[in-house]
Amino acid sequence: MTDAFIAARLREYAGPTIFSEMTALAQETGAANLGQGFPDSDGPPELLDAARDAIARGMNQYPPAIGLPALRGAIAARRADDHGVSYDPDHEIVVTAGATEAIAAALIGLCDPGDEVIVFDPLYDSYSACLAMAQVRRVPVLLEYDGTRFAFDPDALRRAVGPRTKVLLLNTPHNPTGKVFDEAELELIARLCVEHDLIAVTDEVYEYLVYDRVRHLSLAALPGMRERVLSISSAGKTFSSTGWKVGWACGPARLVGTVRTVKQYLTFGTGTPLQAAVAVALTDCMPWVEELRASLERRRDLLVAGLRAGGITTYPSHGTYFVQMDARSFGSEDGQALCRALVTEAGVAAIPSVALYDDKAAGRHLVRLAFCKDEDLLSRAARRLAGHARAARPL
């Protein structure tokens, strides 16, 4: 695509994403794909059966623009049970085409051109594109590894707030670092939001996929925050159905109304039978989700153990599908170059984390691996990576 056919603010986003690029390379070469974050297996049988049943019952036309009532009710019940936050399903919940649409609609609807949005760096790639569409400026706050975990400098966060700051965009559990923001960090974020009258948009799509007895806390559940937080999640990660693109946003009517206004002119409404099935899953399939969480924790441990046995440095991941490894274990400072080499030389596809960093120097040496894969594939990939790392290191 040439510059002549795309707006200047979106030129840097033209062409395929790094995820599409690495997945295509994996398919071309037969490499083990630990790049794009999608699971190898389907969601719970009850979810799939409910979708087939909904199709058979004729639920194949437009849903209400705000989502099926049954799904909105199930989302409200889930948020109340899991986070202690009550929402009116008729006015404070909207169903979207995945969490990505909810985030895009929120940023486009809440911000005026020239406003500023605080983000934590690294950030999932769609955030930057959505901010560009909204014509707002992103203000990154770096997450740095402090020897035990990825953390941010509280003073850096305070300095990030300016007269044009409108929104703080928070992803927890965090992709790609695997960080789960703790209560003290969330309390600081909450205080800043209240002090500066900021709106918080929280991407919580990995809310149930947390490990090591770490607990995910929703920012909206903190005192004084319900009325200024738009909480976003989806069925894709929770029920291993990433292709369904059924997401939602919960919050006070004034914020949810903004998302509704924008999304009705984006997709209006999608996936009627899939929405019906997700309503069933949120009600009946949470034990399956706990089994998924435990399985992912085992798979993370399997991959990490295999990498460390080969002398590869990895970083703690307490949530999501992902763990980061250090390219310097392969004798390279350049994670992007390493990822391109690994596809053909080690038969493993990965994502260079630098693609998700605003501060390119901070992420240059990091590589993101997805562990939401079959255990045999993870074991095979770990052996290949360990062997490649050993061969790359000087004797």
Side-chain angles (χ1 to χ4, degrees):
M1 186 179 294
T2 65
D3 290 351
F5 295 97
I6 190 165
R9 68 182 183 278
L10 296 177
R11 283 175 187 162
E12 67 177 285
Y13 305 104
T17 69
I18 189 65
F19 306 102
S20 297
E21 181 183 348
M22 297 309 296
T23 293
L25 285 173
Q27 291 170 343
E28 290 172 13
T29 61
N33 188 2
L34 304 191
Q36 196 166 6
F38 58 85
D40 282 349
S41 56
D42 286 332
E46 297 90 340
L47 172 77
L48 308 180
D49 289 344
R52 285 187 282 264
D53 179 65
I55 292 170
R57 288 188 290 114
M59 297 184 70
N60 302 303
Q61 308 308 324
Y62 295 125
I66 61 174
L68 291 181
L71 178 52
R72 286 183 279 116
I75 293 165
R78 194 80 274 138
R79 296 299 292 187
D81 288 348
D82 296 338
H83 302 292
V85 185
S86 297
Y87 295 103
D88 176 354
D90 292 326
H91 301 99
E92 296 184 318
I93 294 174
V94 58
V95 178
T96 57
T100 302
E101 185 190 39
I103 293 165
L107 295 173
I108 292 168
L110 293 170
C111 299
D112 291 310
D115 283 342
E116 295 181 350
V117 173
I118 295 172
V119 296
F120 288 94
D121 187 20
L123 58 154
Y124 185 59
D125 69 336
S126 74
Y127 295 176
S128 295
C130 290
L131 291 165
M133 289 182 222
Q135 300 183 66
V136 300
R137 176 173 172 263
R138 67 180 182 268
V139 180
V141 175
L142 184 62
L143 296 173
E144 294 186 275
Y145 186 66
D146 65 6
T148 59
R149 65 186 188 124
F150 285 91
F152 62 90
D153 179 352
D155 289 333
L157 179 60
R158 294 185 185 98
R159 289 193 300 270
V161 182
R164 295 222 60 174
T165 307
K166 178 71 70 69
V167 169
L168 185 147
L169 177 55
L170 172 66
N171 173 210
T172 183
H174 182 263
N175 174 12
T177 67
K179 172 183 176 63
V180 180
F181 283 69
D182 65 26
E183 188 169 7
E185 291 170 323
L186 294 177
E187 287 174 347
L188 171 60
I189 291 168
R191 285 196 300 272
L192 286 174
C193 287
V194 172
E195 179 182 348
H196 296 280
D197 194 25
L198 305 181
I199 296 165
V201 176
T202 61
D203 177 353
E204 304 176 42
V205 297
Y206 294 100
E207 61 183 307
Y208 298 107
L209 306 184
V210 291
Y211 319 117
D212 309 309
R213 299 186 180 181
V214 170
R215 180 171 171 241
H216 164 67
L217 300 173
S218 180
L219 186 65
L222 270 62
M225 291 303 290
R226 183 195 182 281
E227 295 306 309
R228 63 176 66 250
V229 175
L230 191 66
S231 300
I232 293 170
S233 194
S234 80
K237 305 303 190 299
T238 300
F239 299 111
S240 296
S241 56
T242 60
W244 285 24
K245 300 299 290 181
V246 176
W248 50 83
C250 305
R254 69 187 182 98
L255 300 182
V256 168
T258 298
V259 176
R260 289 178 172 183
T261 297
V262 176
K263 74 95 57 193
Q264 70 184 348
Y265 297 112
L266 293 175
T267 60
F268 181 78
T270 58
T272 304
L274 306 182
Q275 289 191 30
V278 172
V280 171
L282 285 171
T283 304
D284 298 337
C285 296
M286 297 313 290
W288 181 93
V289 175
E290 170 54 25
E291 292 177 2
L292 171 66
R293 187 209 62 77
S295 171
L296 285 169
E297 185 169 3
R298 290 193 301 271
R299 284 181 266 173
R300 178 206 61 178
D301 292 346
L302 174 68
L303 176 62
V304 167
L307 296 174
R308 290 182 177 171
I312 299 170
T313 298
T314 63
Y315 295 85
S317 170
H318 298 299
T320 75
Y321 283 163
F322 309 111
V323 65
Q324 297 209 95
M325 72 176 183
D326 199 320
R328 293 172 296 194
S329 301
F330 296 79
S332 173
E333 296 281 343
D334 188 341
Q336 186 158 306
L338 176 65
C339 284
R340 297 191 188 285
L342 288 176
V343 173
T344 55
E345 296 175 12
V348 178
I351 296 295
S353 299
V354 70
L356 306 177
Y357 271 83
D358 201 88
D359 184 337
K360 298 302 182 185
R364 187 168 183 262
H365 64 286
L366 296 173
V367 172
R368 193 195 78 170
L369 302 173
F371 55 81
C372 52
K373 307 295 181 179
D374 177 81
E375 290 188 10
D376 288 342
L377 185 145
L378 292 173
S379 296
R380 186 164 64 251
R383 288 194 299 270
R384 291 176 180 178
L385 291 169
H388 192 76
R390 292 190 194 99
R393 289 194 293 268
L395 295 176

